[in-house]
Amino acid sequence: MKNVKIKTIIQILLVLIITLFLGRTYIEKAFDNVSIFDNKKYAIDIVDDSGYRIKMEKPAKRIISLYSAHTENLFSLGLDKEIIGVGRADIYPVQALSRKVYDYRSDPEKVISAKPDLVLIRPFIERKSPNFVKTLKRAGITVVSLYPEKFEDFDDYIIKLGILTGKKNTAEKLLKKFHEELEAIREKTSKIENKVGVYFESSDRGYKTVTTDSMPAAAIEMAGGINVASDAKPIQEGSSIAAYGIERILEKAKEIDVYVSQRGVMGAGGNYHSISIRPGFKAINAVKNKRIFEINQKIISSPTFRYIKGVKELCRMFYPEIFDDLSVYNSDKEITREEIAEIYVKKTHKTIFVPTSSYYRKKHETHTYGFFKDVPPNHPRFDYIETAVLSGYIDGYKENGEEYFYPEKRVTRDEFAKTVYLIGDFKSKDKNINIKDIDEVENKRIVQILVDNGIFKLKDGKFNPKEYVTVNEVIDILNKVGTKGEKI
């Protein structure tokens, strides 16, 4: 009887040991770096997206961010000196360029020696470099893994960033504004009757698209488009990438009014040319009507507040007659440089410029994106100004090694003429109209061609190059020039 009891006890112990062994991973995650018997109250107590429980006594003050979206959002939350390091691809906002660069594929000792009290990663990094993450944790560094795969998870992600950094109130305010702006867009597009069918290409490898709960799919809906690939299934559980294939795309050729290709470093879609020459793609309405657009991954799939820009860009792609409509500009006041920059971009239907991670590796002779001292990223016309300048439509200024745009400065007829010439496609006439003050004109040849082509009118035989142009004058003149430069 005694032997039976001992045998029973041993069996129970074995079961307990096996159970504990099998449940080790769960326990490690739920109580990572935290004692099971720790009854202490912590200021911060959350579970990250890899399932680890994070406890911190106070908000982080020395942060290394190893994912560009985290870095961007930390700056949006008003953090600056707290961010002591960023990842290799982190270039936005420009303040990120001044931070020390760290790499999860290199020696973790470099991170450890920086003595951060928080390292932000995403689950992909943990899967890709598990030993790197484990080494940091063994060194006593708090590592938090976050990444919202679905649009509905974005708020929770931002709130967690706010909690970890002591910026929860700021996070809530930013989210409130974020959703108000998106709702304003949705309200406007909901009134559009004939909505366009849209196919979104996330990767040209296997012609992949996105799931219906993803950020790009939500953006398509908010921008007033109909996602023709709403039947797409994720390539694996929890992923926002979906398999689709060329056969299914061609089956819906007549439904695809707009073809949007995501461009970026992570499995990008095709470009305009490669898409337009694919076998069988001439049957797609968007290809026939030249409505193929490219959009930067950073503003459509990356979980940041710049997502609003991506939604607005889709609006412009889907309904240019509404969102690039120049008739809304109606004023006799003299136009400013920031106003005319916006008009130039809308007139030419240019997508806003978004730099890639390789952009800052090159030296830029004229203007470098984001370097205008008087046009910060939160300037309401930041994207239009940057795009217009980098497209060559309007110039910036360099003074004492610094860049300025002077957004509120007025625009002269001489300056305006140069841009009109760049936008259009004008030919010299055999017979020139006499311009009495041509010697006062800086761009003589350009002005002569535009006057000869009837684009600019003379006043008493004079061009008046130093005279400022009004909003209505700009619109009237641009309406004489087609979108691609052909005269109407």
Side-chain angles (χ1 to χ4, degrees):
M1 189 71 176
K2 187 176 180 181
N3 289 336
V4 172
K5 285 184 178 180
I6 293 171
K7 188 176 180 181
T8 303
I9 291 169
I10 290 171
Q11 288 176 337
I12 292 171
L13 286 172
L14 284 171
V15 170
L16 285 171
I17 290 168
I18 292 169
T19 302
L20 286 170
F21 177 78
L22 292 174
R24 179 169 57 88
T25 302
Y26 173 78
I27 293 170
E28 282 180 353
K29 286 192 173 185
F31 299 98
D32 185 47
N33 293 329
V34 179
S35 169
I36 296 174
F37 304 103
D38 185 5
N39 294 318
K40 183 179 177 180
K41 293 278 187 179
Y42 287 85
I44 295 168
D45 189 346
I46 65 169
V47 175
D48 74 3
D49 291 346
S50 288
Y52 292 104
R53 189 171 183 181
I54 310 298
K55 289 188 175 186
M56 296 168 59
E57 293 182 352
K58 58 183 179 180
K61 295 300 178 184
R62 292 180 59 79
I63 307 165
I64 292 178
S65 168
L66 297 180
Y67 175 45
S68 60
H70 297 336
T71 301
E72 187 173 328
N73 289 324
L74 291 174
F75 278 109
S76 294
L77 289 170
L79 298 160
D80 193 339
K81 64 180 184 298
E82 294 90 348
I83 306 168
I84 63 169
V86 298
R88 291 195 308 169
D90 301 10
I91 60 169
Y92 187 92
V94 292
Q95 293 97 307
L97 298 173
S98 64
R99 299 305 188 270
K100 193 170 182 179
V101 175
Y102 296 88
D103 186 358
Y104 62 84
R105 286 161 288 203
S106 61
D107 188 353
E109 289 301 325
K110 184 179 177 183
V111 174
I112 294 169
S113 64
K115 298 181 180 179
D117 50 21
L118 174 64
V119 173
L120 286 168
I121 62 170
R122 55 177 175 151
F124 169 82
I125 294 175
E126 196 156 21
R127 294 193 299 268
K128 191 81 173 176
S129 303
N131 291 332
F132 174 88
V133 177
K134 286 178 182 177
T135 302
L136 296 186
K137 290 183 177 182
R138 289 193 191 110
I141 294 173
T142 300
V143 181
V144 178
S145 177
L146 298 172
Y147 185 78
E149 284 283 356
K150 302 175 183 179
F151 174 73
E152 65 184 28
D153 297 331
F154 180 73
D155 286 25
D156 184 59
Y157 158 61
I158 294 296
I159 291 296
K160 282 181 178 177
L161 281 181
I163 291 171
L164 291 166
T165 60
K167 295 284 185 177
K168 186 182 177 184
N169 289 341
T170 302
E172 290 172 345
K173 289 176 183 177
L174 287 174
L175 286 170
K176 183 175 183 292
K177 183 182 177 183
F178 175 77
H179 287 292
E180 286 174 350
E181 288 192 50
L182 291 178
E183 187 55 39
I185 294 170
R186 195 194 300 270
E187 186 178 349
K188 190 170 184 178
T189 59
S190 66
K191 298 173 184 176
I192 298 171
E193 294 183 0
N194 299 316
K195 295 189 174 182
V196 296
V198 182
Y199 180 78
F200 186 92
E201 180 171 293
S202 64
S203 173
D204 56 4
R205 298 174 190 171
Y207 302 100
K208 295 184 182 71
T209 184
V210 291
T211 57
T212 54
D213 55 4
S214 66
M215 296 194 77
I220 290 170
E221 185 271 325
M222 283 183 273
I226 299 171
N227 183 4
V228 302
S230 58
D231 55 340
K233 304 298 181 185
I235 55 175
Q236 61 188 39
E237 187 178 353
S239 175
S240 60
I241 302 300
Y244 213 66
I246 189 170
E247 295 83 6
R248 293 169 76 185
I249 293 173
L250 294 179
E251 282 176 9
K252 299 185 177 181
K254 302 300 179 186
E255 299 174 40
I256 303 173
D257 302 305
V258 179
Y259 199 106
V260 180
S261 178
Q262 174 177 266
R263 303 287 288 165
V265 294
M266 300 294 288
N271 58 30
Y272 182 96
H273 177 69
S274 68
I275 292 169
S276 63
I277 63 172
R278 287 173 183 168
F281 269 47
K282 287 184 179 179
I284 298 174
N285 281 347
V287 176
K288 286 192 292 187
N289 298 323
K290 297 181 178 179
R291 298 195 70 186
I292 304 170
F293 300 97
E294 299 171 24
I295 190 165
N296 192 290
Q297 184 182 36
K298 293 295 183 184
I299 62 172
I300 198 67
S301 291
S302 189
T304 71
F305 291 103
R306 273 197 295 172
Y307 177 73
I308 292 174
K309 298 182 180 185
V311 178
K312 289 180 178 179
E313 284 300 284
L314 290 185
C315 288
R316 295 180 61 222
M317 294 172 187
F318 299 170
Y319 309 105
E321 69 282 4
I322 297 174
F323 293 95
D324 280 351
D325 180 21
L326 298 186
S327 67
V328 299
Y329 301 94
N330 183 12
S331 173
D332 285 324
K333 75 179 185 66
E334 293 168 346
I335 201 165
T336 62
R337 285 167 58 80
E338 62 177 286
E339 290 170 333
I340 209 167
E342 178 178 329
I343 289 171
Y344 289 155
V345 174
K346 288 190 174 183
K347 171 64 181 176
T348 56
H349 305 298
K350 282 261 185 188
T351 53
I352 61 170
F353 179 80
V354 179
T356 61
S357 57
S358 62
Y359 175 81
Y360 290 105
R361 295 179 199 150
K362 304 173 186 176
K363 185 178 180 181
H364 304 280
E365 295 297 330
T366 52
H367 169 61
T368 302
Y369 179 91
F371 275 33
F372 283 131
K373 287 290 184 181
D374 51 357
V375 185
N378 62 353
H379 188 286
R381 290 191 171 96
F382 173 85
D383 294 298
Y384 292 121
I385 290 170
E386 288 290 348
T387 304
V389 172
L390 291 167
S391 298
Y393 296 149
I394 190 167
D395 297 327
Y397 299 88
K398 285 193 175 181
E399 298 175 6
N400 300 320
E402 302 284 5
E403 292 195 46
Y404 296 90
F405 181 72
Y406 298 121
E408 297 178 3
K409 187 177 179 180
R410 293 169 295 177
V411 180
T412 66
R413 284 169 63 84
D414 210 343
E415 185 180 7
F416 178 47
K418 179 183 175 183
T419 306
V420 173
Y421 183 79
L422 290 172
I423 291 174
D425 182 19
F426 308 101
K427 295 181 179 179
S428 301
K429 300 291 184 180
D430 294 332
K431 188 176 181 180
N432 297 140
I433 294 173
N434 181 47
I435 303 173
K436 293 179 180 179
D437 58 351
I438 192 68
D439 289 337
E440 299 173 23
V441 175
E442 183 180 347
N443 303 296
K444 294 179 176 60
R445 180 175 171 275
I446 288 175
V447 168
Q448 186 68 64
I449 291 173
L450 293 176
V451 170
D452 291 344
N453 278 272
I455 304 300
F456 277 84
K457 294 180 180 179
L458 301 179
K459 298 176 183 178
D460 298 324
K462 294 183 177 182
F463 180 71
N464 300 313
K466 303 302 179 185
E467 187 178 284
Y468 296 118
V469 288
T470 66
V471 174
N472 287 338
E473 283 178 304
V474 167
I475 301 303
D476 289 343
I477 289 172
L478 288 179
N479 281 337
K480 296 178 183 179
V481 183
T483 304
K484 293 184 180 179
E486 60 272 18
K487 191 180 175 196
I488 295 174

